[in-house]
Amino acid sequence: MVKKNVLLIVNPISGGVEKSEIIETATDFVNGLQKNLVLYETSGNNDILKIQDLYAKFDPERVLIAGGDGTIKLVAEALEEEDVIFGILPAGSANGLATDLGLPNAIQECLIISFREKHLAIDMIMINGKKSLHLSDLGLNADLIKNYENSSVRGKLGYALQAVTTLVEKEAPFIATIEVNDTTIECEAQMIVIANSKKYGTGVVINPTGLMDDGKFELIILKNLDLMVFGKIITGNMPIEAEDVEIITTDKAMITTNRPVSFQIDGEYCGTQSNLSIALAAAKMKVAIP
């Protein structure tokens, strides 16, 4: 009998965590299921094409992803046309999507979940032609991610250290014009979140009404984001007061800002933007869940 294949895609540098133990644990688990593990480690060099070629060659019955939100998004983009269930092995600096899906931290438990049939078909959002699965934002949090990416310290310690830098360099609020649900809103904001889910990797609930499979996304406009509140965002303890936040549910929107503002998609810094075109994508990503 020919063994069925399982493709494991690993980001070797995500989260500053050594991945050899994850690879060994996954290999033993898959072998125990009498299946063949195919390993691919991302390099930042034509990863999407290489993942597509491996999928076509081995026709895996499952695709496992060991990395953070950015790695998950990369694989989702590569295999968006394929009908396959993905298993997530959280191994990033901030595992926001895994946190939102209720996945455990233990890799062995995540492997068990990965081979079950229960899954969620997650919406994908297009922002200026790029896909987002989890949380993207304009403003202060994107500044933090930029500073983190330019630092040498990885993991949660790296985020904490760069939070200080981000707060010291914090700019004045920007003015945003938002075209959504047949209306135009103009507001002053420190941060605007484009949310397909509820939580950041810190565990803070930024979007209490969010569902990843409802054909909608939310815009969360944080108007008064002072140093204390931003600190609470990072530590996952932020109480949002009604007058400080506005949440809009929609399936498309346009955002224009009065100046270029830092922007990130699923934990990846994307430079500064002053215009965002946002809409739901047709494709969904099937992810195994507890």
Side-chain angles (χ1 to χ4, degrees):
M1 184 178 71
V2 178
K3 284 187 177 181
K4 293 183 177 180
N5 294 314
V6 174
L7 177 57
L8 170 61
I9 299 166
V10 176
N11 182 341
I13 64 170
S14 63
V17 178
E18 172 60 46
K19 304 303 189 304
S20 57
E21 186 176 339
I22 294 175
I23 293 169
E24 184 178 331
T25 302
T27 301
D28 290 345
F29 188 90
V30 171
N31 288 342
L33 296 175
Q34 301 299 305
K35 302 179 191 298
N36 177 55
L37 185 79
V38 179
L39 173 65
Y40 176 74
E41 296 191 51
T42 61
S43 65
N45 182 23
N46 290 326
D47 285 319
I48 286 180
L49 185 59
K50 290 174 182 175
I51 291 167
Q52 289 171 338
D53 287 345
L54 279 174
Y55 189 92
K57 180 178 179 180
F58 291 100
D59 188 27
E61 67 166 4
R62 279 288 194 277
V63 176
L64 308 178
I65 307 167
D69 292 336
T71 310
I72 297 167
K73 183 171 75 74
L74 170 78
V75 179
E77 289 181 349
L79 301 179
E80 64 179 316
E81 302 297 329
E82 309 300 342
D83 185 16
V84 65
I85 296 175
F86 296 87
I88 295 176
L89 311 180
S93 300
N95 301 299
L97 189 61
T99 300
D100 237 324
L101 292 169
L103 292 172
N105 290 324
I107 297 301
Q108 189 77 20
E109 292 178 46
C110 288
L111 285 164
I112 293 169
I113 292 165
S114 294
F115 287 90
R116 292 177 181 159
E117 289 305 313
K118 186 176 181 182
H119 65 272
L120 191 69
I122 298 172
D123 294 321
M124 299 174 79
I125 302 169
M126 295 294 295
I127 307 173
N128 287 2
K130 293 185 176 183
K131 291 185 178 65
S132 172
L133 284 168
H134 183 232
L135 293 166
S136 304
D137 51 58
L138 279 163
L140 204 55
N141 187 59
D143 284 330
L144 169 59
I145 287 172
K146 174 185 69 174
N147 292 333
Y148 174 80
E149 288 184 358
N150 291 332
S151 74
S152 58
V153 182
R154 316 313 287 172
K156 290 185 178 179
L157 175 61
Y159 273 115
L161 292 172
Q162 291 310 313
V164 177
T165 301
T166 305
L167 293 173
V168 169
E169 297 175 351
K170 176 171 162 288
E171 293 188 58
F174 56 90
I175 305 298
T177 302
I178 304 171
E179 297 173 51
V180 61
N181 297 337
D182 299 320
T183 63
T184 300
I185 300 166
E186 186 170 291
C187 59
E188 185 177 271
Q190 288 279 7
M191 184 169 149
I192 298 176
V193 185
I194 302 151
N196 190 38
S197 57
K198 295 185 192 307
K199 301 176 185 176
Y200 279 108
T202 57
V204 66
V205 176
I206 194 77
N207 180 26
T209 62
L211 295 171
M212 286 186 271
D213 62 344
D214 62 351
K216 303 281 186 179
F217 61 87
E218 279 72 41
L219 298 177
I220 296 97
I221 305 165
L222 293 160
K223 301 171 183 177
N224 301 314
L225 197 58
D226 61 22
L227 304 188
M228 185 178 294
V229 173
F230 185 57
K232 289 179 179 178
I233 285 180
I234 296 165
T235 56
N237 300 302
M238 182 178 67
I240 301 177
E241 302 299 331
E243 63 267 21
D244 292 336
V245 65
E246 182 174 357
I247 300 177
I248 302 167
T249 299
T250 186
D251 59 2
K252 61 181 178 180
M254 291 280 296
I255 301 176
T256 305
T257 59
N258 65 323
R259 58 176 171 82
V261 181
S262 288
F263 177 59
Q264 68 89 14
I265 293 180
D266 292 349
E268 178 186 356
Y269 183 67
C270 299
T272 58
Q273 299 288 335
S274 52
N275 293 280
L276 296 181
S277 175
I278 313 159
L280 278 175
K284 287 178 175 262
M285 181 183 188
K286 293 181 181 178
V287 178
I289 58 172

